[in-house]
Amino acid sequence: MVNQMYLDKAEVLIEALPYIQRFNRKIVVVKYGGSAMVDDELKKNVIEDVVLLKLVGFKPIIVHGGGKEISRWVGKVGMEPHFVNGLRVTDADTMEVAEMVLGKVNKELVTLVQSLGIKAVGISGKDGGLLKVDKKLSNGEDIGFVGDIREVNPKILYDLLEKDFLPIVCPVGLDAHFQTYNINADDAACAIAEAINAEKLAFLTDIEGVYRDPSDPDSLISELRVKEAVRLIEQGNVGGGMIPKLKNCIDAISEGVNRVHILDGRIPHSLLLEIFTNKGIGTAILREDEEKFYHEDN
């Protein structure tokens, strides 16, 4: 009698097959942030997931944040943080620290990927003119060197993908006067996914996904179309922190990305579970004409 454990493993691999076929050679942008960036075991899991995506024929691009690490280093060097409308003001000294920290995080991720046998290249939005920005204001108030993306030139990403590298992008860009600006990593991931015509955009976050009722843990939505996402926002069913993420998802889809996934990076291998299984583990948001993969009886 064949051990059930082996049969279960085989079943998981067979379940993944249509997804591997469907997305083979397609570009997938992974926005990597939250707790999964500060826990070494979770970090290893995420990188293993992305490496596996590449090995089965996907073309992944990682866009990473580093907010928690930047906060830690700002505190370490004895700088006092200042906030306007709840947003950290990025003055010249903070920008200098932020760029150094993001560069450090970027090369750590490159090292992790390469330790698993995949060629990776770490770049920032400065490289190849990837991310051009304007100064961002918060309700008309100056919050320092924080940028709004004005233009994306994805040529450097296409070149790296063509040469079989895995690009890892940190969200720093330049304005028209070549001044350096910090960029929200969610915004950077969305803009890059749109510009490069990504098939998928996945957000690794510290939340499980989108709930029909935030107070009911059993109301997690596996898949929803854009109209339903808009309705959830309008009806006030979505918590404050989720609103900008959902709006980013809706914008990305309106600009040509087929599917956007919101998933909990604190769950080991959540990226693989979301992309390769019928039920998934987070929430997938899709275009109106995109076929649904998940079914309530799966």
Side-chain angles (χ1 to χ4, degrees), residues 68-106:
K68 291 184 179 181
E69 188 74 352
I70 291 169
S71 296
R72 191 169 74 84
W73 278 91
V74 164
K76 250 186 173 184
V77 298
M79 292 164 58
E80 282 291 324
H82 300 287
F83 295 88
V84 169
N85 301 323
L87 296 172
R88 182 200 294 276
V89 174
T90 305
D91 58 18
D93 289 339
T94 304
M95 186 63 243
E96 191 175 359
V97 171
E99 190 169 17
M100 286 191 292
V101 172
L102 287 168
K104 173 178 176 288
V105 170
N106 188 275

PDB file of all heavy atoms in Angstrom, residues 68-106:
ATOM      1  N   LYS A  68      10.707  49.179   8.499  1.00  0.00           N
ATOM      2  CA  LYS A  68      11.037  48.809   9.885  1.00  0.00           C
ATOM      3  C   LYS A  68      12.542  48.905  10.125  1.00  0.00           C
ATOM      4  O   LYS A  68      12.984  49.364  11.180  1.00  0.00           O
ATOM      5  CB  LYS A  68      10.544  47.386  10.174  1.00  0.00           C
ATOM      6  CG  LYS A  68       9.024  47.273  10.215  1.00  0.00           C
ATOM      7  CD  LYS A  68       8.554  45.885  10.585  1.00  0.00           C
ATOM      8  CE  LYS A  68       7.025  45.845  10.642  1.00  0.00           C
ATOM      9  NZ  LYS A  68       6.500  44.530  11.021  1.00  0.00           N
ATOM     10  N   GLU A  69      13.318  48.486   9.140  1.00  0.00           N
ATOM     11  CA  GLU A  69      14.782  48.549   9.263  1.00  0.00           C
ATOM     12  C   GLU A  69      15.264  49.999   9.250  1.00  0.00           C
ATOM     13  O   GLU A  69      16.164  50.376   9.999  1.00  0.00           O
ATOM     14  CB  GLU A  69      15.414  47.755   8.108  1.00  0.00           C
ATOM     15  CG  GLU A  69      16.902  47.564   8.212  1.00  0.00           C
ATOM     16  CD  GLU A  69      17.350  46.551   9.252  1.00  0.00           C
ATOM     17  OE1 GLU A  69      16.512  46.065  10.046  1.00  0.00           O
ATOM     18  OE2 GLU A  69      18.553  46.265   9.314  1.00  0.00           O
ATOM     19  N   ILE A  70      14.631  50.844   8.433  1.00  0.00           N
ATOM     20  CA  ILE A  70      14.998  52.275   8.399  1.00  0.00           C
ATOM     21  C   ILE A  70      14.707  52.908   9.761  1.00  0.00           C
ATOM     22  O   ILE A  70      15.544  53.628  10.315  1.00  0.00           O
ATOM     23  CB  ILE A  70      14.226  53.012   7.279  1.00  0.00           C
ATOM     24  CG1 ILE A  70      14.714  52.552   5.904  1.00  0.00           C
ATOM     25  CG2 ILE A  70      14.400  54.528   7.411  1.00  0.00           C
ATOM     26  CD1 ILE A  70      13.846  53.003   4.743  1.00  0.00           C
ATOM     27  N   SER A  71      13.524  52.599  10.327  1.00  0.00           N
ATOM     28  CA  SER A  71      13.165  53.140  11.651  1.00  0.00           C
ATOM     29  C   SER A  71      14.191  52.724  12.701  1.00  0.00           C
ATOM     30  O   SER A  71      14.579  53.527  13.566  1.00  0.00           O
ATOM     31  CB  SER A  71      11.781  52.641  12.069  1.00  0.00           C
ATOM     32  OG  SER A  71      10.803  53.121  11.185  1.00  0.00           O
ATOM     33  N   ARG A  72      14.633  51.467  12.605  1.00  0.00           N
ATOM     34  CA  ARG A  72      15.611  50.949  13.581  1.00  0.00           C
ATOM     35  C   ARG A  72      16.923  51.732  13.485  1.00  0.00           C
ATOM     36  O   ARG A  72      17.509  52.131  14.502  1.00  0.00           O
ATOM     37  CB  ARG A  72      15.848  49.460  13.318  1.00  0.00           C
ATOM     38  CG  ARG A  72      16.623  48.746  14.410  1.00  0.00           C
ATOM     39  CD  ARG A  72      16.571  47.240  14.210  1.00  0.00           C
ATOM     40  NE  ARG A  72      17.410  46.785  13.123  1.00  0.00           N
ATOM     41  CZ  ARG A  72      18.712  46.540  13.229  1.00  0.00           C
ATOM     42  NH1 ARG A  72      19.325  46.724  14.390  1.00  0.00           N
ATOM     43  NH2 ARG A  72      19.405  46.104  12.215  1.00  0.00           N
ATOM     44  N   TRP A  73      17.377  51.988  12.258  1.00  0.00           N
ATOM     45  CA  TRP A  73      18.652  52.682  12.072  1.00  0.00           C
ATOM     46  C   TRP A  73      18.541  54.171  12.382  1.00  0.00           C
ATOM     47  O   TRP A  73      19.498  54.766  12.903  1.00  0.00           O
ATOM     48  CB  TRP A  73      19.173  52.452  10.653  1.00  0.00           C
ATOM     49  CG  TRP A  73      19.877  51.132  10.555  1.00  0.00           C
ATOM     50  CD1 TRP A  73      19.344  49.921  10.221  1.00  0.00           C
ATOM     51  CD2 TRP A  73      21.249  50.879  10.866  1.00  0.00           C
ATOM     52  NE1 TRP A  73      20.285  48.933  10.284  1.00  0.00           N
ATOM     53  CE2 TRP A  73      21.483  49.493  10.674  1.00  0.00           C
ATOM     54  CE3 TRP A  73      22.315  51.679  11.265  1.00  0.00           C
ATOM     55  CZ2 TRP A  73      22.720  48.895  10.882  1.00  0.00           C
ATOM     56  CZ3 TRP A  73      23.556  51.096  11.470  1.00  0.00           C
ATOM     57  CH2 TRP A  73      23.755  49.720  11.282  1.00  0.00           C
ATOM     58  N   VAL A  74      17.405  54.771  12.092  1.00  0.00           N
ATOM     59  CA  VAL A  74      17.199  56.179  12.455  1.00  0.00           C
ATOM     60  C   VAL A  74      17.314  56.328  13.975  1.00  0.00           C
ATOM     61  O   VAL A  74      17.944  57.264  14.485  1.00  0.00           O
ATOM     62  CB  VAL A  74      15.821  56.682  11.945  1.00  0.00           C
ATOM     63  CG1 VAL A  74      15.423  57.986  12.631  1.00  0.00           C
ATOM     64  CG2 VAL A  74      15.860  56.879  10.429  1.00  0.00           C
ATOM     65  N   GLY A  75      16.722  55.358  14.701  1.00  0.00           N
ATOM     66  CA  GLY A  75      16.839  55.360  16.163  1.00  0.00           C
ATOM     67  C   GLY A  75      18.261  55.106  16.622  1.00  0.00           C
ATOM     68  O   GLY A  75      18.747  55.723  17.585  1.00  0.00           O
ATOM     69  N   LYS A  76      18.954  54.193  15.921  1.00  0.00           N
ATOM     70  CA  LYS A  76      20.325  53.825  16.284  1.00  0.00           C
ATOM     71  C   LYS A  76      21.276  55.019  16.228  1.00  0.00           C
ATOM     72  O   LYS A  76      22.187  55.140  17.050  1.00  0.00           O
ATOM     73  CB  LYS A  76      20.844  52.756  15.310  1.00  0.00           C
ATOM     74  CG  LYS A  76      21.014  51.379  15.909  1.00  0.00           C
ATOM     75  CD  LYS A  76      21.666  50.462  14.879  1.00  0.00           C
ATOM     76  CE  LYS A  76      21.992  49.123  15.515  1.00  0.00           C
ATOM     77  NZ  LYS A  76      22.712  48.224  14.616  1.00  0.00           N
ATOM     78  N   VAL A  77      21.092  55.858  15.222  1.00  0.00           N
ATOM     79  CA  VAL A  77      22.003  57.000  15.073  1.00  0.00           C
ATOM     80  C   VAL A  77      21.521  58.223  15.856  1.00  0.00           C
ATOM     81  O   VAL A  77      22.087  59.309  15.752  1.00  0.00           O
ATOM     82  CB  VAL A  77      22.225  57.369  13.576  1.00  0.00           C
ATOM     83  CG1 VAL A  77      22.861  56.229  12.833  1.00  0.00           C
ATOM     84  CG2 VAL A  77      20.919  57.791  12.900  1.00  0.00           C
ATOM     85  N   GLY A  78      20.457  58.033  16.643  1.00  0.00           N
ATOM     86  CA  GLY A  78      20.006  59.077  17.554  1.00  0.00           C
ATOM     87  C   GLY A  78      19.219  60.207  16.919  1.00  0.00           C
ATOM     88  O   GLY A  78      19.135  61.307  17.480  1.00  0.00           O
ATOM     89  N   MET A  79      18.621  59.938  15.751  1.00  0.00           N
ATOM     90  CA  MET A  79      17.815  60.981  15.103  1.00  0.00           C
ATOM     91  C   MET A  79      16.383  60.937  15.613  1.00  0.00           C
ATOM     92  O   MET A  79      15.836  59.861  15.838  1.00  0.00           O
ATOM     93  CB  MET A  79      17.839  60.786  13.578  1.00  0.00           C
ATOM     94  CG  MET A  79      19.195  61.058  12.959  1.00  0.00           C
ATOM     95  SD  MET A  79      19.358  60.392  11.285  1.00  0.00           S
ATOM     96  CE  MET A  79      18.029  61.212  10.446  1.00  0.00           C
ATOM     97  N   GLU A  80      15.794  62.118  15.770  1.00  0.00           N
ATOM     98  CA  GLU A  80      14.414  62.208  16.241  1.00  0.00           C
ATOM     99  C   GLU A  80      13.471  62.208  15.035  1.00  0.00           C
ATOM    100  O   GLU A  80      13.565  63.078  14.167  1.00  0.00           O
ATOM    101  CB  GLU A  80      14.211  63.507  17.034  1.00  0.00           C
ATOM    102  CG  GLU A  80      14.763  63.459  18.449  1.00  0.00           C
ATOM    103  CD  GLU A  80      13.981  62.534  19.365  1.00  0.00           C
ATOM    104  OE1 GLU A  80      12.745  62.458  19.226  1.00  0.00           O
ATOM    105  OE2 GLU A  80      14.619  61.860  20.193  1.00  0.00           O
ATOM    106  N   PRO A  81      12.551  61.237  14.957  1.00  0.00           N
ATOM    107  CA  PRO A  81      11.614  61.243  13.829  1.00  0.00           C
ATOM    108  C   PRO A  81      10.580  62.357  13.963  1.00  0.00           C
ATOM    109  O   PRO A  81      10.139  62.678  15.065  1.00  0.00           O
ATOM    110  CB  PRO A  81      10.944  59.865  13.917  1.00  0.00           C
ATOM    111  CG  PRO A  81      11.101  59.428  15.338  1.00  0.00           C
ATOM    112  CD  PRO A  81      12.353  60.090  15.854  1.00  0.00           C
ATOM    113  N   HIS A  82      10.189  62.954  12.826  1.00  0.00           N
ATOM    114  CA  HIS A  82       9.142  63.973  12.799  1.00  0.00           C
ATOM    115  C   HIS A  82       8.042  63.509  11.861  1.00  0.00           C
ATOM    116  O   HIS A  82       8.310  62.908  10.822  1.00  0.00           O
ATOM    117  CB  HIS A  82       9.708  65.314  12.318  1.00  0.00           C
ATOM    118  CG  HIS A  82      10.799  65.855  13.188  1.00  0.00           C
ATOM    119  ND1 HIS A  82      10.571  66.386  14.430  1.00  0.00           N
ATOM    120  CD2 HIS A  82      12.138  65.905  12.994  1.00  0.00           C
ATOM    121  CE1 HIS A  82      11.725  66.760  14.965  1.00  0.00           C
ATOM    122  NE2 HIS A  82      12.696  66.470  14.111  1.00  0.00           N
ATOM    123  N   PHE A  83       6.791  63.794  12.225  1.00  0.00           N
ATOM    124  CA  PHE A  83       5.662  63.312  11.437  1.00  0.00           C
ATOM    125  C   PHE A  83       4.741  64.470  11.051  1.00  0.00           C
ATOM    126  O   PHE A  83       4.538  65.406  11.821  1.00  0.00           O
ATOM    127  CB  PHE A  83       4.860  62.267  12.224  1.00  0.00           C
ATOM    128  CG  PHE A  83       5.640  61.005  12.502  1.00  0.00           C
ATOM    129  CD1 PHE A  83       6.439  60.889  13.633  1.00  0.00           C
ATOM    130  CD2 PHE A  83       5.578  59.932  11.623  1.00  0.00           C
ATOM    131  CE1 PHE A  83       7.171  59.740  13.880  1.00  0.00           C
ATOM    132  CE2 PHE A  83       6.295  58.776  11.861  1.00  0.00           C
ATOM    133  CZ  PHE A  83       7.096  58.679  12.996  1.00  0.00           C
ATOM    134  N   VAL A  84       4.186  64.370   9.847  1.00  0.00           N
ATOM    135  CA  VAL A  84       3.161  65.302   9.365  1.00  0.00           C
ATOM    136  C   VAL A  84       2.005  64.460   8.839  1.00  0.00           C
ATOM    137  O   VAL A  84       2.202  63.601   7.987  1.00  0.00           O
ATOM    138  CB  VAL A  84       3.709  66.219   8.235  1.00  0.00           C
ATOM    139  CG1 VAL A  84       2.567  66.988   7.574  1.00  0.00           C
ATOM    140  CG2 VAL A  84       4.745  67.181   8.783  1.00  0.00           C
ATOM    141  N   ASN A  85       0.817  64.687   9.385  1.00  0.00           N
ATOM    142  CA  ASN A  85      -0.366  63.893   8.999  1.00  0.00           C
ATOM    143  C   ASN A  85      -0.123  62.386   9.114  1.00  0.00           C
ATOM    144  O   ASN A  85      -0.568  61.593   8.285  1.00  0.00           O
ATOM    145  CB  ASN A  85      -0.800  64.237   7.563  1.00  0.00           C
ATOM    146  CG  ASN A  85      -1.145  65.699   7.396  1.00  0.00           C
ATOM    147  OD1 ASN A  85      -1.709  66.312   8.304  1.00  0.00           O
ATOM    148  ND2 ASN A  85      -0.803  66.274   6.254  1.00  0.00           N
ATOM    149  N   GLY A  86       0.635  62.017  10.146  1.00  0.00           N
ATOM    150  CA  GLY A  86       0.895  60.589  10.370  1.00  0.00           C
ATOM    151  C   GLY A  86       1.998  60.008   9.502  1.00  0.00           C
ATOM    152  O   GLY A  86       2.318  58.832   9.605  1.00  0.00           O
ATOM    153  N   LEU A  87       2.597  60.822   8.626  1.00  0.00           N
ATOM    154  CA  LEU A  87       3.662  60.341   7.743  1.00  0.00           C
ATOM    155  C   LEU A  87       5.011  60.862   8.229  1.00  0.00           C
ATOM    156  O   LEU A  87       5.142  62.037   8.594  1.00  0.00           O
ATOM    157  CB  LEU A  87       3.425  60.815   6.308  1.00  0.00           C
ATOM    158  CG  LEU A  87       2.163  60.291   5.618  1.00  0.00           C
ATOM    159  CD1 LEU A  87       1.971  61.004   4.284  1.00  0.00           C
ATOM    160  CD2 LEU A  87       2.251  58.784   5.401  1.00  0.00           C
ATOM    161  N   ARG A  88       6.019  59.963   8.196  1.00  0.00           N
ATOM    162  CA  ARG A  88       7.356  60.386   8.604  1.00  0.00           C
ATOM    163  C   ARG A  88       7.912  61.425   7.623  1.00  0.00           C
ATOM    164  O   ARG A  88       7.822  61.263   6.404  1.00  0.00           O
ATOM    165  CB  ARG A  88       8.303  59.176   8.618  1.00  0.00           C
ATOM    166  CG  ARG A  88       9.722  59.533   9.089  1.00  0.00           C
ATOM    167  CD  ARG A  88      10.726  58.497   8.650  1.00  0.00           C
ATOM    168  NE  ARG A  88      10.485  57.224   9.290  1.00  0.00           N
ATOM    169  CZ  ARG A  88      10.944  56.902  10.508  1.00  0.00           C
ATOM    170  NH1 ARG A  88      11.625  57.784  11.193  1.00  0.00           N
ATOM    171  NH2 ARG A  88      10.692  55.724  11.024  1.00  0.00           N
ATOM    172  N   VAL A  89       8.468  62.497   8.150  1.00  0.00           N
ATOM    173  CA  VAL A  89       9.127  63.497   7.318  1.00  0.00           C
ATOM    174  C   VAL A  89      10.529  62.988   6.998  1.00  0.00           C
ATOM    175  O   VAL A  89      11.303  62.660   7.898  1.00  0.00           O
ATOM    176  CB  VAL A  89       9.209  64.863   8.044  1.00  0.00           C
ATOM    177  CG1 VAL A  89      10.021  65.860   7.216  1.00  0.00           C
ATOM    178  CG2 VAL A  89       7.806  65.402   8.314  1.00  0.00           C
ATOM    179  N   THR A  90      10.829  62.905   5.704  1.00  0.00           N
ATOM    180  CA  THR A  90      12.143  62.416   5.273  1.00  0.00           C
ATOM    181  C   THR A  90      13.024  63.609   4.943  1.00  0.00           C
ATOM    182  O   THR A  90      13.043  64.100   3.803  1.00  0.00           O
ATOM    183  CB  THR A  90      12.004  61.480   4.047  1.00  0.00           C
ATOM    184  OG1 THR A  90      11.091  60.430   4.376  1.00  0.00           O
ATOM    185  CG2 THR A  90      13.334  60.875   3.655  1.00  0.00           C
ATOM    186  N   ASP A  91      13.760  64.115   5.962  1.00  0.00           N
ATOM    187  CA  ASP A  91      14.678  65.230   5.705  1.00  0.00           C
ATOM    188  C   ASP A  91      15.956  64.671   5.072  1.00  0.00           C
ATOM    189  O   ASP A  91      16.077  63.474   4.828  1.00  0.00           O
ATOM    190  CB  ASP A  91      14.970  66.009   6.993  1.00  0.00           C
ATOM    191  CG  ASP A  91      15.581  65.138   8.097  1.00  0.00           C
ATOM    192  OD1 ASP A  91      16.094  64.044   7.787  1.00  0.00           O
ATOM    193  OD2 ASP A  91      15.550  65.556   9.266  1.00  0.00           O
ATOM    194  N   ALA A  92      16.919  65.533   4.792  1.00  0.00           N
ATOM    195  CA  ALA A  92      18.127  65.114   4.070  1.00  0.00           C
ATOM    196  C   ALA A  92      18.889  64.031   4.838  1.00  0.00           C
ATOM    197  O   ALA A  92      19.369  63.051   4.240  1.00  0.00           O
ATOM    198  CB  ALA A  92      19.026  66.326   3.820  1.00  0.00           C
ATOM    199  N   ASP A  93      18.993  64.175   6.162  1.00  0.00           N
ATOM    200  CA  ASP A  93      19.725  63.177   6.956  1.00  0.00           C
ATOM    201  C   ASP A  93      18.992  61.833   6.956  1.00  0.00           C
ATOM    202  O   ASP A  93      19.617  60.771   6.835  1.00  0.00           O
ATOM    203  CB  ASP A  93      19.900  63.672   8.401  1.00  0.00           C
ATOM    204  CG  ASP A  93      20.889  64.821   8.501  1.00  0.00           C
ATOM    205  OD1 ASP A  93      21.715  64.973   7.568  1.00  0.00           O
ATOM    206  OD2 ASP A  93      20.839  65.575   9.492  1.00  0.00           O
ATOM    207  N   THR A  94      17.656  61.892   7.100  1.00  0.00           N
ATOM    208  CA  THR A  94      16.867  60.652   7.092  1.00  0.00           C
ATOM    209  C   THR A  94      16.968  59.973   5.722  1.00  0.00           C
ATOM    210  O   THR A  94      17.067  58.742   5.635  1.00  0.00           O
ATOM    211  CB  THR A  94      15.389  60.951   7.422  1.00  0.00           C
ATOM    212  OG1 THR A  94      15.321  61.640   8.671  1.00  0.00           O
ATOM    213  CG2 THR A  94      14.580  59.657   7.509  1.00  0.00           C
ATOM    214  N   MET A  95      16.959  60.760   4.655  1.00  0.00           N
ATOM    215  CA  MET A  95      17.080  60.209   3.303  1.00  0.00           C
ATOM    216  C   MET A  95      18.411  59.490   3.134  1.00  0.00           C
ATOM    217  O   MET A  95      18.494  58.422   2.526  1.00  0.00           O
ATOM    218  CB  MET A  95      16.930  61.335   2.269  1.00  0.00           C
ATOM    219  CG  MET A  95      16.904  60.866   0.818  1.00  0.00           C
ATOM    220  SD  MET A  95      15.492  59.808   0.428  1.00  0.00           S
ATOM    221  CE  MET A  95      16.308  58.291  -0.016  1.00  0.00           C
ATOM    222  N   GLU A  96      19.448  60.081   3.696  1.00  0.00           N
ATOM    223  CA  GLU A  96      20.780  59.461   3.604  1.00  0.00           C
ATOM    224  C   GLU A  96      20.790  58.102   4.308  1.00  0.00           C
ATOM    225  O   GLU A  96      21.282  57.109   3.768  1.00  0.00           O
ATOM    226  CB  GLU A  96      21.823  60.403   4.233  1.00  0.00           C
ATOM    227  CG  GLU A  96      23.256  59.989   3.952  1.00  0.00           C
ATOM    228  CD  GLU A  96      24.266  60.998   4.493  1.00  0.00           C
ATOM    229  OE1 GLU A  96      23.852  62.017   5.068  1.00  0.00           O
ATOM    230  OE2 GLU A  96      25.464  60.729   4.345  1.00  0.00           O
ATOM    231  N   VAL A  97      20.206  58.061   5.499  1.00  0.00           N
ATOM    232  CA  VAL A  97      20.119  56.796   6.243  1.00  0.00           C
ATOM    233  C   VAL A  97      19.252  55.791   5.488  1.00  0.00           C
ATOM    234  O   VAL A  97      19.597  54.619   5.338  1.00  0.00           O
ATOM    235  CB  VAL A  97      19.556  57.029   7.671  1.00  0.00           C
ATOM    236  CG1 VAL A  97      19.268  55.700   8.370  1.00  0.00           C
ATOM    237  CG2 VAL A  97      20.519  57.859   8.507  1.00  0.00           C
ATOM    238  N   ALA A  98      18.090  56.270   4.988  1.00  0.00           N
ATOM    239  CA  ALA A  98      17.153  55.384   4.284  1.00  0.00           C
ATOM    240  C   ALA A  98      17.813  54.728   3.077  1.00  0.00           C
ATOM    241  O   ALA A  98      17.677  53.517   2.858  1.00  0.00           O
ATOM    242  CB  ALA A  98      15.916  56.168   3.848  1.00  0.00           C
ATOM    243  N   GLU A  99      18.549  55.520   2.303  1.00  0.00           N
ATOM    244  CA  GLU A  99      19.183  54.955   1.104  1.00  0.00           C
ATOM    245  C   GLU A  99      20.254  53.926   1.475  1.00  0.00           C
ATOM    246  O   GLU A  99      20.383  52.888   0.819  1.00  0.00           O
ATOM    247  CB  GLU A  99      19.776  56.062   0.233  1.00  0.00           C
ATOM    248  CG  GLU A  99      20.229  55.544  -1.124  1.00  0.00           C
ATOM    249  CD  GLU A  99      20.583  56.652  -2.105  1.00  0.00           C
ATOM    250  OE1 GLU A  99      20.801  57.805  -1.674  1.00  0.00           O
ATOM    251  OE2 GLU A  99      20.651  56.352  -3.299  1.00  0.00           O
ATOM    252  N   MET A 100      21.005  54.207   2.524  1.00  0.00           N
ATOM    253  CA  MET A 100      22.029  53.250   2.956  1.00  0.00           C
ATOM    254  C   MET A 100      21.392  51.946   3.436  1.00  0.00           C
ATOM    255  O   MET A 100      21.841  50.851   3.092  1.00  0.00           O
ATOM    256  CB  MET A 100      22.890  53.862   4.069  1.00  0.00           C
ATOM    257  CG  MET A 100      23.869  54.910   3.578  1.00  0.00           C
ATOM    258  SD  MET A 100      25.089  55.385   4.825  1.00  0.00           S
ATOM    259  CE  MET A 100      24.081  56.247   6.022  1.00  0.00           C
ATOM    260  N   VAL A 101      20.322  52.079   4.227  1.00  0.00           N
ATOM    261  CA  VAL A 101      19.654  50.891   4.772  1.00  0.00           C
ATOM    262  C   VAL A 101      19.012  50.071   3.656  1.00  0.00           C
ATOM    263  O   VAL A 101      19.135  48.846   3.610  1.00  0.00           O
ATOM    264  CB  VAL A 101      18.600  51.293   5.836  1.00  0.00           C
ATOM    265  CG1 VAL A 101      17.770  50.089   6.245  1.00  0.00           C
ATOM    266  CG2 VAL A 101      19.288  51.896   7.061  1.00  0.00           C
ATOM    267  N   LEU A 102      18.328  50.749   2.724  1.00  0.00           N
ATOM    268  CA  LEU A 102      17.697  50.037   1.612  1.00  0.00           C
ATOM    269  C   LEU A 102      18.738  49.328   0.753  1.00  0.00           C
ATOM    270  O   LEU A 102      18.515  48.214   0.271  1.00  0.00           O
ATOM    271  CB  LEU A 102      16.873  51.006   0.760  1.00  0.00           C
ATOM    272  CG  LEU A 102      15.556  51.484   1.380  1.00  0.00           C
ATOM    273  CD1 LEU A 102      14.983  52.662   0.592  1.00  0.00           C
ATOM    274  CD2 LEU A 102      14.534  50.358   1.464  1.00  0.00           C
ATOM    275  N   GLY A 103      19.906  49.970   0.572  1.00  0.00           N
ATOM    276  CA  GLY A 103      20.992  49.328  -0.177  1.00  0.00           C
ATOM    277  C   GLY A 103      21.491  48.081   0.525  1.00  0.00           C
ATOM    278  O   GLY A 103      21.770  47.055  -0.107  1.00  0.00           O
ATOM    279  N   LYS A 104      21.589  48.161   1.858  1.00  0.00           N
ATOM    280  CA  LYS A 104      22.023  47.011   2.664  1.00  0.00           C
ATOM    281  C   LYS A 104      21.021  45.867   2.541  1.00  0.00           C
ATOM    282  O   LYS A 104      21.388  44.708   2.307  1.00  0.00           O
ATOM    283  CB  LYS A 104      22.168  47.453   4.126  1.00  0.00           C
ATOM    284  CG  LYS A 104      22.464  46.337   5.128  1.00  0.00           C
ATOM    285  CD  LYS A 104      22.621  46.936   6.523  1.00  0.00           C
ATOM    286  CE  LYS A 104      22.830  45.878   7.588  1.00  0.00           C
ATOM    287  NZ  LYS A 104      21.614  45.098   7.866  1.00  0.00           N
ATOM    288  N   VAL A 105      19.722  46.181   2.690  1.00  0.00           N
ATOM    289  CA  VAL A 105      18.664  45.174   2.571  1.00  0.00           C
ATOM    290  C   VAL A 105      18.693  44.555   1.175  1.00  0.00           C
ATOM    291  O   VAL A 105      18.588  43.331   1.001  1.00  0.00           O
ATOM    292  CB  VAL A 105      17.273  45.815   2.837  1.00  0.00           C
ATOM    293  CG1 VAL A 105      16.149  44.853   2.472  1.00  0.00           C
ATOM    294  CG2 VAL A 105      17.147  46.242   4.300  1.00  0.00           C
ATOM    295  N   ASN A 106      18.864  45.396   0.164  1.00  0.00           N
ATOM    296  CA  ASN A 106      18.873  44.939  -1.226  1.00  0.00           C
ATOM    297  C   ASN A 106      19.959  43.888  -1.455  1.00  0.00           C
ATOM    298  O   ASN A 106      19.702  42.820  -2.040  1.00  0.00           O
ATOM    299  CB  ASN A 106      19.088  46.155  -2.136  1.00  0.00           C
ATOM    300  CG  ASN A 106      18.932  45.830  -3.605  1.00  0.00           C
ATOM    301  OD1 ASN A 106      19.883  45.387  -4.235  1.00  0.00           O
ATOM    302  ND2 ASN A 106      17.759  46.051  -4.150  1.00  0.00           N
TER     303      ASN A 106
END
